Amino acid sequence: MVMMAKRKQSPLVIGLGLSPRKGGNSDIMLEWALFGAKEAGAKVKKIFVRDFKINYCRGCRHCKSAGECIQKDDFQKFARELERADGLIVSTPIFFLNLPGHSKAMIDRFQVYWSRKEILGNPPKRENRPALVLMTAGGDWENVFECAKRTIGAFFQVSGFAIQEWLGVKAVDEKGAVRLISGLEDAVRELAEKTAHSLRA
């Protein structure tokens, strides 16, 4: 008889891009991060909010009693992708001190998850999954990332994640500007590696 130990499956890290612009600074940083996570032994998958047709939340409160959103669009498919993730890497630009509109609309649709958790007593099956948050801003104001961090933090509370690390890069308005910052790529990869390694702890 030959017996073998069961191999532990590699954790899945989802890379979530929030920018409406393809190939911009936040997309570049997401690529760097996913490379780092893969180097650390994780399986990686990249998704972009811009590739999903997600309507705005109507504020109809249907989800408070039903536990489901009354709208049927790509939101359900998108949410299932996040449910699969063991860890998450979010990369976003800052638009007027917060997230791009289509990505904020996506987060608003997670009202159904808030209803499940806070009203119906049905929280996510897995909570506090580690997340790395990467942000880029054209401006260089002192608190340019604070609103977005709070929004993402609220999103994570209902979707089952927690910010483990975050990195914000200011004054990178031009497409590709992040490539000109010495040491940034290595810093992003190291943070992603740390996130992936934490899944094996």
Side-chain angles (χ1 to χ4, degrees):
M1 177 185 294
V2 177
M3 301 184 69
M4 294 179 62
K6 190 174 181 179
R7 290 184 179 180
K8 191 173 182 180
Q9 197 170 24
S10 297
L12 174 63
V13 172
I14 296 282
L16 175 58
L18 303 190
S19 179
R21 178 173 69 170
K22 292 183 179 181
N25 291 309
S26 63
D27 281 12
I28 292 168
M29 290 177 64
L30 185 61
E31 289 285 353
W32 293 343
L34 289 178
F35 182 88
K38 190 172 182 179
E39 286 288 292
K43 291 190 298 184
V44 299
K45 182 175 181 178
K46 180 171 51 178
I47 61 176
F48 295 98
V49 176
R50 62 178 179 252
D51 294 331
F52 293 82
K53 293 182 179 179
I54 298 176
N55 298 323
Y56 296 97
C57 176
R58 297 176 183 173
C60 67
R61 302 186 176 220
H62 176 81
C63 62
K64 283 192 171 184
S65 58
E68 298 291 340
C69 184
I70 198 168
Q71 299 189 75
K72 304 303 177 188
D73 53 16
D74 284 349
F75 173 75
Q76 291 77 19
K77 177 183 177 182
F78 177 85
R80 285 194 296 270
E81 291 283 2
L82 295 195
E83 288 174 359
R84 294 175 53 229
D86 299 303
L88 185 66
I89 298 172
V90 174
S91 191
T92 184
I94 299 299
F95 286 10
F96 278 85
L97 300 180
N98 216 316
L99 306 178
H102 73 308
S103 292
K104 178 58 168 63
M106 172 275 291
I107 290 174
D108 288 347
R109 290 289 297 281
F110 273 82
Q111 178 69 17
V112 64
Y113 279 67
W114 181 89
S115 294
R116 290 174 187 170
K117 181 177 180 178
E118 302 296 337
I119 296 177
L120 302 175
N122 183 23
K125 293 179 181 179
R126 295 184 294 165
E127 296 195 277
N128 297 312
R129 288 170 288 170
L132 167 62
V133 177
L134 305 171
M135 293 180 279
T136 61
D140 61 356
W141 301 296
E142 181 180 357
N143 297 316
V144 69
F145 301 116
E146 290 308 306
C147 290
K149 281 177 64 180
R150 289 174 182 267
T151 300
I152 291 171
F155 165 46
F156 285 173
Q157 284 182 4
V158 298
S159 59
F161 296 95
I163 297 177
Q164 182 182 61
E165 302 281 351
W166 77 277
L167 175 67
V169 184
K170 300 178 182 179
V172 283
D173 209 26
E174 296 299 320
K175 195 172 186 178
V178 290
R179 297 189 188 277
L180 304 178
I181 301 176
S182 178
L184 180 58
E185 182 175 356
D186 288 341
V188 170
R189 288 185 180 185
E190 287 174 10
L191 287 173
E193 288 175 10
K194 183 176 179 181
T195 300
H197 283 309
S198 73
L199 296 171
R200 296 181 175 275

